[in-house]
Amino acid sequence: MIKNQVEGIPIKRDDFHVIQYQILNYLYEKIKLGNDVNEKELQGILPKYNEKYFNYIIHCMESYRLIEGIKVVGSGKLYEVTNFNKCYITPIGIEYLFKELLMKEVKEYFDGIKEWKN
């Protein structure tokens, strides 16, 4: 477990909001540079790639309209996500990335991390 905390709760590199921050930040950088999204890079954000967990996070972000362009099929806790190369951050996602308090705390956390430890 990482010693840094968000709102007094120890966080890990595979926590939902940490992954969400990294995905939004990745997509924001891609759109600013005019580069395409690379599915392997995007999936590589999750420390130990877990397809179900990753797809759940992506589905939630799409549901909140933070990202668009992907195709989500499924219901309940089982989702299949495709079209990663067409995924992009929305204006709502950009605003969330910069204004949401929890995202700011996660960013500060990342700024202070030199190396991830479990």
Side-chain angles (χ1 to χ4, degrees):
M1 187 168 312
I2 298 170
K3 294 181 181 178
N4 290 35
Q5 299 182 357
V6 173
E7 296 182 3
I9 301 170
I11 61 173
K12 296 180 184 178
R13 63 182 171 169
D14 63 352
D15 284 345
F16 181 92
H17 288 95
V18 172
I19 300 300
Q20 184 181 42
Y21 168 81
Q22 290 180 289
I23 291 170
L24 289 173
N25 191 55
Y26 171 84
L27 294 174
Y28 183 60
E29 289 300 316
K30 289 294 182 182
I31 204 165
K32 284 192 326 185
L33 296 171
N35 295 336
D36 293 332
V37 171
N38 179 297
E39 183 175 350
K40 295 292 182 197
E41 287 177 356
L42 193 58
Q43 292 170 342
I45 289 172
L46 196 57
K48 293 180 181 174
Y49 182 67
N50 173 331
E51 184 176 16
K52 288 181 184 178
Y53 183 48
F54 186 78
N55 287 347
Y56 169 75
I57 293 170
I58 292 290
H59 167 71
C60 290
M61 293 172 68
E62 193 252 353
S63 295
Y64 294 141
R65 305 186 115 191
L66 302 175
I67 62 173
E68 290 182 355
I70 58 167
K71 182 178 179 184
V72 179
V73 179
S75 62
K77 293 183 181 179
L78 300 174
Y79 304 100
E80 181 181 346
V81 179
T82 59
N83 292 346
F84 284 107
N85 61 326
K86 297 185 189 281
C87 184
Y88 61 92
I89 188 170
T90 65
I92 294 169
I94 295 168
E95 184 174 338
Y96 183 80
L97 181 63
F98 289 101
K99 290 189 176 181
E100 178 65 30
L101 178 60
L102 183 57
M103 290 291 102
K104 285 183 179 182
E105 291 178 356
V106 170
K107 181 191 181 308
E108 289 171 8
Y109 171 76
F110 265 102
D111 289 345
I113 291 293
K114 303 244 186 233
E115 181 179 319
W116 282 104
K117 295 181 181 176
N118 288 325

